[in-house]
Amino acid sequence: MTASHAPTTAEELRGAGLRVTAARVALLETVRDGDHLDAEGVASGVRDRVGHISVQAVYEALHALTAAGLIRRIEPAGSPARFEGRVGDNHHHVVCRSCGVVADVDCAVDEAPCLTASDDHGFSIDEAEVIYWGLCPDCSTARSS
């Protein structure tokens, strides 16, 4: 692979040791094209691309792709798990308390783990997860009207 050649979705799956199937390709592309989709949103996007897929197959593929590091699962409190294609940079999220919209927030110091624990308890920390909570612009405007 040359520096100018971006790997295809199939090559990424193979590189992660996963079997390449139309459903997995569609799922990975759906997550990457989506905006912090929940499993239902992912399933709908995959169905739009390849037709029928069972909910169980979607969950199994989400688990496999997350374990392989190709997608990231986030779990804002009180919300279903969400999935995103932005991996490897230890960025954070902001979540609207009203409508549940999620947006990315870049790492505070541009270097993982972004935050230094006051007491690491001997752990070798490689990631910090921060979720900022508030109201998105649309919900803020609606509340003040």
Side-chain angles (χ1 to χ4, degrees), residues 30-63:
T30 296
V31 169
R32 289 181 173 166
D33 291 346
D35 190 16
H36 304 95
L37 298 171
D38 61 16
E40 201 171 289
V42 172
S44 176
V46 171
R47 286 183 189 115
D48 288 347
R49 293 170 192 252
V50 297
H52 178 75
I53 185 169
S54 72
V55 173
Q56 183 63 33
V58 168
Y59 278 103
E60 288 172 1
L62 286 169
H63 177 75

PDB file of all heavy atoms in Angstrom, residues 30-63:
ATOM      1  N   THR A  30     -21.958   3.053   6.907  1.00  0.00           N
ATOM      2  CA  THR A  30     -23.093   3.731   7.529  1.00  0.00           C
ATOM      3  C   THR A  30     -22.658   4.470   8.787  1.00  0.00           C
ATOM      4  O   THR A  30     -23.021   5.630   9.004  1.00  0.00           O
ATOM      5  CB  THR A  30     -24.213   2.719   7.874  1.00  0.00           C
ATOM      6  OG1 THR A  30     -24.702   2.153   6.661  1.00  0.00           O
ATOM      7  CG2 THR A  30     -25.356   3.379   8.621  1.00  0.00           C
ATOM      8  N   VAL A  31     -21.866   3.806   9.621  1.00  0.00           N
ATOM      9  CA  VAL A  31     -21.383   4.448  10.856  1.00  0.00           C
ATOM     10  C   VAL A  31     -20.521   5.654  10.510  1.00  0.00           C
ATOM     11  O   VAL A  31     -20.673   6.727  11.101  1.00  0.00           O
ATOM     12  CB  VAL A  31     -20.621   3.449  11.752  1.00  0.00           C
ATOM     13  CG1 VAL A  31     -19.905   4.161  12.890  1.00  0.00           C
ATOM     14  CG2 VAL A  31     -21.573   2.392  12.305  1.00  0.00           C
ATOM     15  N   ARG A  32     -19.637   5.506   9.549  1.00  0.00           N
ATOM     16  CA  ARG A  32     -18.747   6.612   9.174  1.00  0.00           C
ATOM     17  C   ARG A  32     -19.494   7.766   8.526  1.00  0.00           C
ATOM     18  O   ARG A  32     -19.115   8.915   8.702  1.00  0.00           O
ATOM     19  CB  ARG A  32     -17.641   6.103   8.263  1.00  0.00           C
ATOM     20  CG  ARG A  32     -16.658   5.244   9.035  1.00  0.00           C
ATOM     21  CD  ARG A  32     -15.547   4.757   8.176  1.00  0.00           C
ATOM     22  NE  ARG A  32     -14.544   4.089   9.006  1.00  0.00           N
ATOM     23  CZ  ARG A  32     -13.588   3.325   8.508  1.00  0.00           C
ATOM     24  NH1 ARG A  32     -13.488   3.150   7.207  1.00  0.00           N
ATOM     25  NH2 ARG A  32     -12.723   2.757   9.321  1.00  0.00           N
ATOM     26  N   ASP A  33     -20.545   7.466   7.786  1.00  0.00           N
ATOM     27  CA  ASP A  33     -21.331   8.530   7.148  1.00  0.00           C
ATOM     28  C   ASP A  33     -22.334   9.149   8.112  1.00  0.00           C
ATOM     29  O   ASP A  33     -22.835  10.243   7.864  1.00  0.00           O
ATOM     30  CB  ASP A  33     -22.097   7.987   5.929  1.00  0.00           C
ATOM     31  CG  ASP A  33     -21.175   7.605   4.775  1.00  0.00           C
ATOM     32  OD1 ASP A  33     -19.991   7.996   4.791  1.00  0.00           O
ATOM     33  OD2 ASP A  33     -21.649   6.895   3.871  1.00  0.00           O
ATOM     34  N   GLY A  34     -22.660   8.443   9.192  1.00  0.00           N
ATOM     35  CA  GLY A  34     -23.675   8.891  10.143  1.00  0.00           C
ATOM     36  C   GLY A  34     -23.117   9.866  11.154  1.00  0.00           C
ATOM     37  O   GLY A  34     -21.949  10.247  11.110  1.00  0.00           O
ATOM     38  N   ASP A  35     -23.963  10.235  12.071  1.00  0.00           N
ATOM     39  CA  ASP A  35     -23.579  11.208  13.089  1.00  0.00           C
ATOM     40  C   ASP A  35     -23.950  10.656  14.458  1.00  0.00           C
ATOM     41  O   ASP A  35     -25.020  10.932  14.973  1.00  0.00           O
ATOM     42  CB  ASP A  35     -24.305  12.538  12.819  1.00  0.00           C
ATOM     43  CG  ASP A  35     -23.775  13.661  13.683  1.00  0.00           C
ATOM     44  OD1 ASP A  35     -22.674  13.528  14.261  1.00  0.00           O
ATOM     45  OD2 ASP A  35     -24.475  14.681  13.793  1.00  0.00           O
ATOM     46  N   HIS A  36     -23.060   9.799  15.005  1.00  0.00           N
ATOM     47  CA  HIS A  36     -23.290   9.203  16.314  1.00  0.00           C
ATOM     48  C   HIS A  36     -24.614   8.437  16.346  1.00  0.00           C
ATOM     49  O   HIS A  36     -25.468   8.679  17.184  1.00  0.00           O
ATOM     50  CB  HIS A  36     -23.224  10.262  17.422  1.00  0.00           C
ATOM     51  CG  HIS A  36     -21.935  11.014  17.434  1.00  0.00           C
ATOM     52  ND1 HIS A  36     -21.797  12.228  16.794  1.00  0.00           N
ATOM     53  CD2 HIS A  36     -20.741  10.722  17.967  1.00  0.00           C
ATOM     54  CE1 HIS A  36     -20.546  12.649  16.959  1.00  0.00           C
ATOM     55  NE2 HIS A  36     -19.882  11.754  17.665  1.00  0.00           N
ATOM     56  N   LEU A  37     -24.768   7.517  15.414  1.00  0.00           N
ATOM     57  CA  LEU A  37     -26.001   6.746  15.280  1.00  0.00           C
ATOM     58  C   LEU A  37     -26.134   5.707  16.384  1.00  0.00           C
ATOM     59  O   LEU A  37     -25.145   5.128  16.820  1.00  0.00           O
ATOM     60  CB  LEU A  37     -26.016   6.016  13.932  1.00  0.00           C
ATOM     61  CG  LEU A  37     -25.990   6.878  12.678  1.00  0.00           C
ATOM     62  CD1 LEU A  37     -25.791   6.003  11.444  1.00  0.00           C
ATOM     63  CD2 LEU A  37     -27.266   7.686  12.571  1.00  0.00           C
ATOM     64  N   ASP A  38     -27.385   5.457  16.797  1.00  0.00           N
ATOM     65  CA  ASP A  38     -27.629   4.330  17.691  1.00  0.00           C
ATOM     66  C   ASP A  38     -27.778   3.077  16.826  1.00  0.00           C
ATOM     67  O   ASP A  38     -27.763   3.155  15.591  1.00  0.00           O
ATOM     68  CB  ASP A  38     -28.843   4.568  18.588  1.00  0.00           C
ATOM     69  CG  ASP A  38     -30.140   4.765  17.828  1.00  0.00           C
ATOM     70  OD1 ASP A  38     -30.226   4.444  16.632  1.00  0.00           O
ATOM     71  OD2 ASP A  38     -31.113   5.248  18.453  1.00  0.00           O
ATOM     72  N   ALA A  39     -27.900   1.911  17.452  1.00  0.00           N
ATOM     73  CA  ALA A  39     -27.962   0.652  16.699  1.00  0.00           C
ATOM     74  C   ALA A  39     -29.133   0.637  15.722  1.00  0.00           C
ATOM     75  O   ALA A  39     -29.005   0.125  14.600  1.00  0.00           O
ATOM     76  CB  ALA A  39     -28.043  -0.530  17.662  1.00  0.00           C
ATOM     77  N   GLU A  40     -30.255   1.208  16.122  1.00  0.00           N
ATOM     78  CA  GLU A  40     -31.427   1.265  15.238  1.00  0.00           C
ATOM     79  C   GLU A  40     -31.127   2.107  13.988  1.00  0.00           C
ATOM     80  O   GLU A  40     -31.492   1.738  12.879  1.00  0.00           O
ATOM     81  CB  GLU A  40     -32.603   1.868  16.013  1.00  0.00           C
ATOM     82  CG  GLU A  40     -33.945   1.543  15.457  1.00  0.00           C
ATOM     83  CD  GLU A  40     -35.047   2.000  16.407  1.00  0.00           C
ATOM     84  OE1 GLU A  40     -35.209   1.389  17.475  1.00  0.00           O
ATOM     85  OE2 GLU A  40     -35.736   2.979  16.050  1.00  0.00           O
ATOM     86  N   GLY A  41     -30.473   3.237  14.183  1.00  0.00           N
ATOM     87  CA  GLY A  41     -30.097   4.091  13.059  1.00  0.00           C
ATOM     88  C   GLY A  41     -29.092   3.410  12.147  1.00  0.00           C
ATOM     89  O   GLY A  41     -29.166   3.541  10.920  1.00  0.00           O
ATOM     90  N   VAL A  42     -28.155   2.665  12.740  1.00  0.00           N
ATOM     91  CA  VAL A  42     -27.188   1.915  11.943  1.00  0.00           C
ATOM     92  C   VAL A  42     -27.917   0.857  11.120  1.00  0.00           C
ATOM     93  O   VAL A  42     -27.695   0.719   9.915  1.00  0.00           O
ATOM     94  CB  VAL A  42     -26.107   1.268  12.836  1.00  0.00           C
ATOM     95  CG1 VAL A  42     -25.230   0.329  12.021  1.00  0.00           C
ATOM     96  CG2 VAL A  42     -25.258   2.335  13.522  1.00  0.00           C
ATOM     97  N   ALA A  43     -28.820   0.108  11.762  1.00  0.00           N
ATOM     98  CA  ALA A  43     -29.567  -0.943  11.062  1.00  0.00           C
ATOM     99  C   ALA A  43     -30.344  -0.368   9.886  1.00  0.00           C
ATOM    100  O   ALA A  43     -30.351  -0.938   8.790  1.00  0.00           O
ATOM    101  CB  ALA A  43     -30.506  -1.663  12.032  1.00  0.00           C
ATOM    102  N   SER A  44     -30.984   0.767  10.091  1.00  0.00           N
ATOM    103  CA  SER A  44     -31.751   1.404   9.025  1.00  0.00           C
ATOM    104  C   SER A  44     -30.844   1.784   7.861  1.00  0.00           C
ATOM    105  O   SER A  44     -31.176   1.561   6.699  1.00  0.00           O
ATOM    106  CB  SER A  44     -32.459   2.644   9.584  1.00  0.00           C
ATOM    107  OG  SER A  44     -33.123   3.328   8.556  1.00  0.00           O
ATOM    108  N   GLY A  45     -29.672   2.355   8.176  1.00  0.00           N
ATOM    109  CA  GLY A  45     -28.725   2.731   7.124  1.00  0.00           C
ATOM    110  C   GLY A  45     -28.189   1.537   6.362  1.00  0.00           C
ATOM    111  O   GLY A  45     -27.998   1.591   5.143  1.00  0.00           O
ATOM    112  N   VAL A  46     -27.933   0.441   7.079  1.00  0.00           N
ATOM    113  CA  VAL A  46     -27.443  -0.768   6.425  1.00  0.00           C
ATOM    114  C   VAL A  46     -28.527  -1.333   5.513  1.00  0.00           C
ATOM    115  O   VAL A  46     -28.259  -1.730   4.379  1.00  0.00           O
ATOM    116  CB  VAL A  46     -26.983  -1.818   7.461  1.00  0.00           C
ATOM    117  CG1 VAL A  46     -26.676  -3.152   6.795  1.00  0.00           C
ATOM    118  CG2 VAL A  46     -25.761  -1.304   8.228  1.00  0.00           C
ATOM    119  N   ARG A  47     -29.772  -1.346   5.996  1.00  0.00           N
ATOM    120  CA  ARG A  47     -30.884  -1.852   5.172  1.00  0.00           C
ATOM    121  C   ARG A  47     -31.047  -1.016   3.900  1.00  0.00           C
ATOM    122  O   ARG A  47     -31.352  -1.553   2.837  1.00  0.00           O
ATOM    123  CB  ARG A  47     -32.172  -1.867   5.976  1.00  0.00           C
ATOM    124  CG  ARG A  47     -32.208  -2.974   6.991  1.00  0.00           C
ATOM    125  CD  ARG A  47     -33.536  -3.031   7.755  1.00  0.00           C
ATOM    126  NE  ARG A  47     -33.413  -3.964   8.853  1.00  0.00           N
ATOM    127  CZ  ARG A  47     -33.479  -3.636  10.139  1.00  0.00           C
ATOM    128  NH1 ARG A  47     -33.718  -2.383  10.500  1.00  0.00           N
ATOM    129  NH2 ARG A  47     -33.336  -4.557  11.063  1.00  0.00           N
ATOM    130  N   ASP A  48     -30.843   0.298   4.002  1.00  0.00           N
ATOM    131  CA  ASP A  48     -30.924   1.156   2.818  1.00  0.00           C
ATOM    132  C   ASP A  48     -29.858   0.775   1.788  1.00  0.00           C
ATOM    133  O   ASP A  48     -30.059   0.952   0.592  1.00  0.00           O
ATOM    134  CB  ASP A  48     -30.746   2.632   3.198  1.00  0.00           C
ATOM    135  CG  ASP A  48     -31.938   3.208   3.941  1.00  0.00           C
ATOM    136  OD1 ASP A  48     -33.015   2.559   3.961  1.00  0.00           O
ATOM    137  OD2 ASP A  48     -31.788   4.303   4.531  1.00  0.00           O
ATOM    138  N   ARG A  49     -28.732   0.275   2.263  1.00  0.00           N
ATOM    139  CA  ARG A  49     -27.615  -0.050   1.366  1.00  0.00           C
ATOM    140  C   ARG A  49     -27.671  -1.475   0.813  1.00  0.00           C
ATOM    141  O   ARG A  49     -27.302  -1.688  -0.331  1.00  0.00           O
ATOM    142  CB  ARG A  49     -26.277   0.148   2.101  1.00  0.00           C
ATOM    143  CG  ARG A  49     -25.983   1.593   2.428  1.00  0.00           C
ATOM    144  CD  ARG A  49     -24.776   1.694   3.366  1.00  0.00           C
ATOM    145  NE  ARG A  49     -24.642   3.024   3.900  1.00  0.00           N
ATOM    146  CZ  ARG A  49     -23.701   3.886   3.561  1.00  0.00           C
ATOM    147  NH1 ARG A  49     -22.800   3.554   2.672  1.00  0.00           N
ATOM    148  NH2 ARG A  49     -23.661   5.079   4.100  1.00  0.00           N
ATOM    149  N   VAL A  50     -28.065  -2.446   1.665  1.00  0.00           N
ATOM    150  CA  VAL A  50     -27.971  -3.851   1.232  1.00  0.00           C
ATOM    151  C   VAL A  50     -29.261  -4.639   1.372  1.00  0.00           C
ATOM    152  O   VAL A  50     -29.281  -5.835   1.098  1.00  0.00           O
ATOM    153  CB  VAL A  50     -26.838  -4.607   1.968  1.00  0.00           C
ATOM    154  CG1 VAL A  50     -25.491  -4.015   1.663  1.00  0.00           C
ATOM    155  CG2 VAL A  50     -27.102  -4.689   3.460  1.00  0.00           C
ATOM    156  N   GLY A  51     -30.321  -4.026   1.816  1.00  0.00           N
ATOM    157  CA  GLY A  51     -31.565  -4.766   2.007  1.00  0.00           C
ATOM    158  C   GLY A  51     -31.670  -5.319   3.410  1.00  0.00           C
ATOM    159  O   GLY A  51     -31.109  -4.764   4.348  1.00  0.00           O
ATOM    160  N   HIS A  52     -32.330  -6.439   3.557  1.00  0.00           N
ATOM    161  CA  HIS A  52     -32.615  -6.988   4.883  1.00  0.00           C
ATOM    162  C   HIS A  52     -31.350  -7.372   5.647  1.00  0.00           C
ATOM    163  O   HIS A  52     -30.426  -7.957   5.090  1.00  0.00           O
ATOM    164  CB  HIS A  52     -33.525  -8.213   4.792  1.00  0.00           C
ATOM    165  CG  HIS A  52     -33.795  -8.810   6.139  1.00  0.00           C
ATOM    166  ND1 HIS A  52     -34.657  -8.216   7.038  1.00  0.00           N
ATOM    167  CD2 HIS A  52     -33.285  -9.899   6.755  1.00  0.00           C
ATOM    168  CE1 HIS A  52     -34.666  -8.931   8.156  1.00  0.00           C
ATOM    169  NE2 HIS A  52     -33.848  -9.970   8.001  1.00  0.00           N
ATOM    170  N   ILE A  53     -31.334  -7.054   6.915  1.00  0.00           N
ATOM    171  CA  ILE A  53     -30.314  -7.525   7.853  1.00  0.00           C
ATOM    172  C   ILE A  53     -31.000  -7.627   9.208  1.00  0.00           C
ATOM    173  O   ILE A  53     -31.789  -6.753   9.578  1.00  0.00           O
ATOM    174  CB  ILE A  53     -29.074  -6.603   7.912  1.00  0.00           C
ATOM    175  CG1 ILE A  53     -28.004  -7.216   8.814  1.00  0.00           C
ATOM    176  CG2 ILE A  53     -29.452  -5.202   8.351  1.00  0.00           C
ATOM    177  CD1 ILE A  53     -26.651  -6.523   8.724  1.00  0.00           C
ATOM    178  N   SER A  54     -30.723  -8.699   9.924  1.00  0.00           N
ATOM    179  CA  SER A  54     -31.371  -8.879  11.220  1.00  0.00           C
ATOM    180  C   SER A  54     -30.740  -7.954  12.255  1.00  0.00           C
ATOM    181  O   SER A  54     -29.577  -7.555  12.136  1.00  0.00           O
ATOM    182  CB  SER A  54     -31.243 -10.332  11.690  1.00  0.00           C
ATOM    183  OG  SER A  54     -29.906 -10.607  12.072  1.00  0.00           O
ATOM    184  N   VAL A  55     -31.518  -7.624  13.276  1.00  0.00           N
ATOM    185  CA  VAL A  55     -31.016  -6.795  14.374  1.00  0.00           C
ATOM    186  C   VAL A  55     -29.840  -7.501  15.036  1.00  0.00           C
ATOM    187  O   VAL A  55     -28.836  -6.868  15.379  1.00  0.00           O
ATOM    188  CB  VAL A  55     -32.146  -6.503  15.385  1.00  0.00           C
ATOM    189  CG1 VAL A  55     -31.613  -5.785  16.602  1.00  0.00           C
ATOM    190  CG2 VAL A  55     -33.242  -5.685  14.723  1.00  0.00           C
ATOM    191  N   GLN A  56     -29.936  -8.816  15.206  1.00  0.00           N
ATOM    192  CA  GLN A  56     -28.847  -9.590  15.813  1.00  0.00           C
ATOM    193  C   GLN A  56     -27.562  -9.465  14.995  1.00  0.00           C
ATOM    194  O   GLN A  56     -26.483  -9.286  15.553  1.00  0.00           O
ATOM    195  CB  GLN A  56     -29.245 -11.064  15.944  1.00  0.00           C
ATOM    196  CG  GLN A  56     -28.196 -11.917  16.637  1.00  0.00           C
ATOM    197  CD  GLN A  56     -27.951 -11.507  18.077  1.00  0.00           C
ATOM    198  OE1 GLN A  56     -28.861 -11.055  18.770  1.00  0.00           O
ATOM    199  NE2 GLN A  56     -26.721 -11.651  18.535  1.00  0.00           N
ATOM    200  N   ALA A  57     -27.662  -9.522  13.680  1.00  0.00           N
ATOM    201  CA  ALA A  57     -26.483  -9.386  12.822  1.00  0.00           C
ATOM    202  C   ALA A  57     -25.867  -7.994  12.958  1.00  0.00           C
ATOM    203  O   ALA A  57     -24.642  -7.847  12.947  1.00  0.00           O
ATOM    204  CB  ALA A  57     -26.842  -9.674  11.368  1.00  0.00           C
ATOM    205  N   VAL A  58     -26.714  -6.978  13.098  1.00  0.00           N
ATOM    206  CA  VAL A  58     -26.210  -5.610  13.288  1.00  0.00           C
ATOM    207  C   VAL A  58     -25.436  -5.520  14.598  1.00  0.00           C
ATOM    208  O   VAL A  58     -24.315  -5.012  14.637  1.00  0.00           O
ATOM    209  CB  VAL A  58     -27.365  -4.581  13.263  1.00  0.00           C
ATOM    210  CG1 VAL A  58     -26.887  -3.211  13.737  1.00  0.00           C
ATOM    211  CG2 VAL A  58     -27.952  -4.489  11.855  1.00  0.00           C
ATOM    212  N   TYR A  59     -26.016  -6.045  15.686  1.00  0.00           N
ATOM    213  CA  TYR A  59     -25.328  -6.004  16.976  1.00  0.00           C
ATOM    214  C   TYR A  59     -24.016  -6.783  16.944  1.00  0.00           C
ATOM    215  O   TYR A  59     -23.001  -6.331  17.489  1.00  0.00           O
ATOM    216  CB  TYR A  59     -26.237  -6.521  18.100  1.00  0.00           C
ATOM    217  CG  TYR A  59     -27.182  -5.463  18.604  1.00  0.00           C
ATOM    218  CD1 TYR A  59     -28.518  -5.461  18.229  1.00  0.00           C
ATOM    219  CD2 TYR A  59     -26.736  -4.455  19.449  1.00  0.00           C
ATOM    220  CE1 TYR A  59     -29.389  -4.476  18.681  1.00  0.00           C
ATOM    221  CE2 TYR A  59     -27.590  -3.465  19.907  1.00  0.00           C
ATOM    222  CZ  TYR A  59     -28.918  -3.486  19.523  1.00  0.00           C
ATOM    223  OH  TYR A  59     -29.774  -2.505  19.977  1.00  0.00           O
ATOM    224  N   GLU A  60     -24.010  -7.939  16.298  1.00  0.00           N
ATOM    225  CA  GLU A  60     -22.786  -8.731  16.209  1.00  0.00           C
ATOM    226  C   GLU A  60     -21.708  -7.991  15.415  1.00  0.00           C
ATOM    227  O   GLU A  60     -20.541  -7.970  15.805  1.00  0.00           O
ATOM    228  CB  GLU A  60     -23.076 -10.098  15.578  1.00  0.00           C
ATOM    229  CG  GLU A  60     -23.853 -11.016  16.514  1.00  0.00           C
ATOM    230  CD  GLU A  60     -24.330 -12.294  15.846  1.00  0.00           C
ATOM    231  OE1 GLU A  60     -24.054 -12.509  14.636  1.00  0.00           O
ATOM    232  OE2 GLU A  60     -25.001 -13.084  16.537  1.00  0.00           O
ATOM    233  N   ALA A  61     -22.100  -7.368  14.319  1.00  0.00           N
ATOM    234  CA  ALA A  61     -21.142  -6.626  13.506  1.00  0.00           C
ATOM    235  C   ALA A  61     -20.644  -5.381  14.245  1.00  0.00           C
ATOM    236  O   ALA A  61     -19.449  -5.066  14.187  1.00  0.00           O
ATOM    237  CB  ALA A  61     -21.764  -6.248  12.164  1.00  0.00           C
ATOM    238  N   LEU A  62     -21.530  -4.678  14.933  1.00  0.00           N
ATOM    239  CA  LEU A  62     -21.106  -3.514  15.726  1.00  0.00           C
ATOM    240  C   LEU A  62     -20.081  -3.937  16.773  1.00  0.00           C
ATOM    241  O   LEU A  62     -19.064  -3.263  16.968  1.00  0.00           O
ATOM    242  CB  LEU A  62     -22.307  -2.840  16.397  1.00  0.00           C
ATOM    243  CG  LEU A  62     -23.221  -2.031  15.483  1.00  0.00           C
ATOM    244  CD1 LEU A  62     -24.504  -1.648  16.225  1.00  0.00           C
ATOM    245  CD2 LEU A  62     -22.506  -0.790  14.952  1.00  0.00           C
ATOM    246  N   HIS A  63     -20.338  -5.066  17.432  1.00  0.00           N
ATOM    247  CA  HIS A  63     -19.408  -5.568  18.447  1.00  0.00           C
ATOM    248  C   HIS A  63     -18.053  -5.901  17.813  1.00  0.00           C
ATOM    249  O   HIS A  63     -16.997  -5.505  18.332  1.00  0.00           O
ATOM    250  CB  HIS A  63     -19.999  -6.793  19.150  1.00  0.00           C
ATOM    251  CG  HIS A  63     -19.062  -7.399  20.138  1.00  0.00           C
ATOM    252  ND1 HIS A  63     -18.806  -6.822  21.367  1.00  0.00           N
ATOM    253  CD2 HIS A  63     -18.288  -8.505  20.062  1.00  0.00           C
ATOM    254  CE1 HIS A  63     -17.913  -7.559  22.007  1.00  0.00           C
ATOM    255  NE2 HIS A  63     -17.596  -8.585  21.247  1.00  0.00           N
TER     256      HIS A  63
END
